[in-house]
């Protein structure tokens, strides 16, 4: 489709390819796009009004909650709680499931999201992002249940992110490729800029927090040393922003590997399975890449808790496969 096609038109064209479709995705993604635009507006004014900095409270993860996290979480709820597509939501910023209030129509999907990932970078003006994942509910009652959320990532019907960077982009998949849209602030619309994104089979970028090296397992240490050795004639470049969506997006477009492995300090790593690893793994695989714990495919993991963490090795398929060989040999 032509560059510059609006997200709305692209969604409707995609919907027409599936005659039986109900329009739920079109509505859900359009509402998420609206939330993204509202969060973007909040971000762009952050320096001007008092929403920078921390709230003094911490979230279920024990992480200090930045004011914009709260604003972003509330924005997602207000944009999506009344649309009739959802039965419930789960967020990094909320300990328990959010039930769609009884005064609103209820739908057949659940939404999981990290409203503002990388928020510790907000005050220093580094790109941050909203990550989302959609599953079909399994329960049948009037309320969402934990069972609706604790499904393997392979069951996702839609996943994506909004990246608040030098430009604001929305990238998503519904299982038929990965598509990127760039916000035109003058028009207030997301316009098609990256149709059918494919991640290179192999890249020369690696992203890992080397400050954790003293905690790494042997496989991680051996793999990173391998990359630095120039093995195979590749001069790898270390690129690590400390903002998952920004690091992932760069590697998606240019090729490479992002690693937040388990280590002796944090056996399950730091990143959350349901609303960080799973949606990005769905995107990576749809773009021709891969995502694993180092041993298992991320999308095959059976979740047991809403906010559980997982090691994440994600990016170009050849790079991920090579990393897994080091994990296996360690
Ligand atoms: P570290 C941000 O807090 C985040 O959740 C991700 O966006 C990012 O990839 C990671 O943590 C950075 O963690 O331990 O390297 O600072």
């Amino acid at each position: 489709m032509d560059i510059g096609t609006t997200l709305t038109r692209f969604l409707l064209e995609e919907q027409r390819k599936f005659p039986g479709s109900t329009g739920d995705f079109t509505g859900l993604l359009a509402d998420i796009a609206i939330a993204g635009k509202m969060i973007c507006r909040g971000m762009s004014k952050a320096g001007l009004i008092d929403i920078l900095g921390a709230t003094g409270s911490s979230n279920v993860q024990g992480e200090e909650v930045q004011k914009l996290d709260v604003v972003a979480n509330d924005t997602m709820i207000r944009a999506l709680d009344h649309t009739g597509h959802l039965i419930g939501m789960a967020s990094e910023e909320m300990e328990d499931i959010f039930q769609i209030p009884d005064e609103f129509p209820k739908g057949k999907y659940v939404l999981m999201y990290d409203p503002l990932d990388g928020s510790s970078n907000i005050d220093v003006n580094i790109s941050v992002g909203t990550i989302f994942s959609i599953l079909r509910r399994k329960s049948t009652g009037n309320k969402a249940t934990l069972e609706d959320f604790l499904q393997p990532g392979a069951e996702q019907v839609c996943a994506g992110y909004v990246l608040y960077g030098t430009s604001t982009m929305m990238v998503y998949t519904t299982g038929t490729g990965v598509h990127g849209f760039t916000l035109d602030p003058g028009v207030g619309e997301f316009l098609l800029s990256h149709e059918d994104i494919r991640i290179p089979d192999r890249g020369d970028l690696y992203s890992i927090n080397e400050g954790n090296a003293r905690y790494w397992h042997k496989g991680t240490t051996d793999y990173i040393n391998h990359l630095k050795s120039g093995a195979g004639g590749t001069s790898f470049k270390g690129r690590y922003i400390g903002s998952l969506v920004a690091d992932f997006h760069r590697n998606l477009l240019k090729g490479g590997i992002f690693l937040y492995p388990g280590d002796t300090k944090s056996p399950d790593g730091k990143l959350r399975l349901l609303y960080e690893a799973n949606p990005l793994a769905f995107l990576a695989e749809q773009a021709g890449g891969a995502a694993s714990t180092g041993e298992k495919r991320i999308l095959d993991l059976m979740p047991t808790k809403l906010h559980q963490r997982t090691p994440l090795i994600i990016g170009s398929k050849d790079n991920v496969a090579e990393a897994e060989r080091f994990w296996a040999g360690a």
Side-chain angles (χ1 to χ4, degrees):
M1 212 170 294
D2 301 339
I3 294 287
T5 299
T6 63
L7 172 65
T8 310
R9 178 173 171 198
F10 188 90
L11 289 170
L12 290 169
E13 301 279 341
E14 285 295 293
Q15 182 181 320
R16 288 196 190 105
K17 293 177 186 172
F18 303 91
S21 66
T22 61
D24 269 320
F25 284 162
T26 300
L28 261 175
L29 280 160
D31 294 330
I32 292 170
I34 290 169
K37 286 188 253 185
M38 293 165 77
I39 293 168
C40 175
R41 185 185 58 187
M43 301 284 300
S44 60
K45 290 194 293 193
L48 304 174
I49 55 181
D50 179 32
I51 50 177
L52 274 180
T55 58
S57 62
S58 61
N59 64 17
V60 60
Q61 325 297 337
E63 293 166 343
E64 189 168 59
V65 175
Q66 300 284 338
K67 289 179 183 175
L68 270 169
D69 292 78
V70 176
V71 171
N73 191 58
D74 293 350
T75 302
M76 290 291 284
I77 290 173
R78 281 200 314 275
L80 289 146
D81 64 355
H82 59 283
T83 61
H85 303 305
L86 300 173
I87 183 70
M89 298 189 241
S91 163
E92 182 194 51
E93 297 303 326
M94 299 186 293
E95 185 150 5
D96 300 315
I97 296 170
F98 174 87
Q99 298 288 352
I100 297 301
D102 289 340
E103 69 258 33
F104 295 138
K106 301 183 182 187
K108 60 187 178 191
Y109 296 105
V110 292
L111 170 72
M112 295 155 286
Y113 62 94
D114 183 350
L116 211 51
D117 179 79
S119 54
S120 55
N121 290 305
I122 293 169
D123 286 357
V124 292
N125 209 10
I126 285 173
S127 302
V128 292
T130 299
I131 311 172
F132 61 89
S133 168
I134 298 170
L135 288 165
R136 194 172 281 105
R137 70 176 300 190
K138 293 181 75 174
S139 63
T140 54
N142 188 39
K143 296 277 183 201
T145 66
L146 205 48
E147 173 202 27
D148 295 327
F149 297 86
L150 300 184
Q151 300 182 52
E155 296 300 315
Q156 291 174 99
V157 292
C158 179
Y161 55 82
V162 182
L163 173 61
Y164 311 99
T166 45
S167 62
T168 295
M169 276 197 73
M170 181 162 169
V171 177
Y172 82 88
T173 184
T174 56
T176 56
V178 177
H179 309 294
F181 299 78
T182 299
L183 182 65
D184 179 337
V187 177
E189 276 283 0
F190 281 103
L191 305 180
L192 183 64
S193 53
H194 299 70
E195 185 170 9
D196 196 18
I197 297 172
R198 305 296 296 167
I199 186 169
D201 287 348
R202 186 171 179 80
D204 62 1
L205 300 175
Y206 75 96
S207 309
I208 191 168
N209 180 346
E210 305 226 21
N212 292 331
R214 62 189 181 283
Y215 305 117
W216 289 347
H217 293 306
K218 184 176 185 310
T220 308
T221 303
D222 292 349
Y223 176 62
I224 298 300
N225 287 339
H226 170 75
L227 298 186
K228 292 175 167 180
S229 71
T234 303
S235 294
F236 277 84
K237 302 177 190 73
R239 292 288 186 276
Y240 191 74
I241 297 176
S243 191
L244 175 60
V245 176
D247 279 319
F248 175 81
H249 184 72
R250 178 201 52 243
N251 293 359
L252 178 72
L253 297 186
K254 293 184 179 292
I257 188 168
F258 172 98
L259 306 100
Y260 211 110
D263 60 28
T264 55
K265 183 178 70 160
S266 312
D268 292 328
K270 174 182 183 182
L271 302 175
R272 271 72 66 168
L273 175 60
L274 291 188
Y275 42 79
E276 291 176 332
N278 270 343
L280 297 187
F282 189 18
L283 287 161
E285 290 199 3
Q286 281 291 310
S292 111
T293 62
E295 283 137 352
K296 293 182 195 141
R297 180 183 179 235
I298 290 288
L299 295 183
D300 288 339
L301 299 179
M302 187 63 207
T304 54
K305 288 186 289 190
L306 210 51
H307 302 289
Q308 76 183 64
R309 299 175 191 270
T310 177
L312 179 63
I313 319 293
I314 188 168
S316 296
K317 67 182 175 70
D318 292 353
N319 296 92
V320 172
E322 184 180 55
E324 288 174 330
R325 288 195 290 275
F326 278 83
W327 264 245

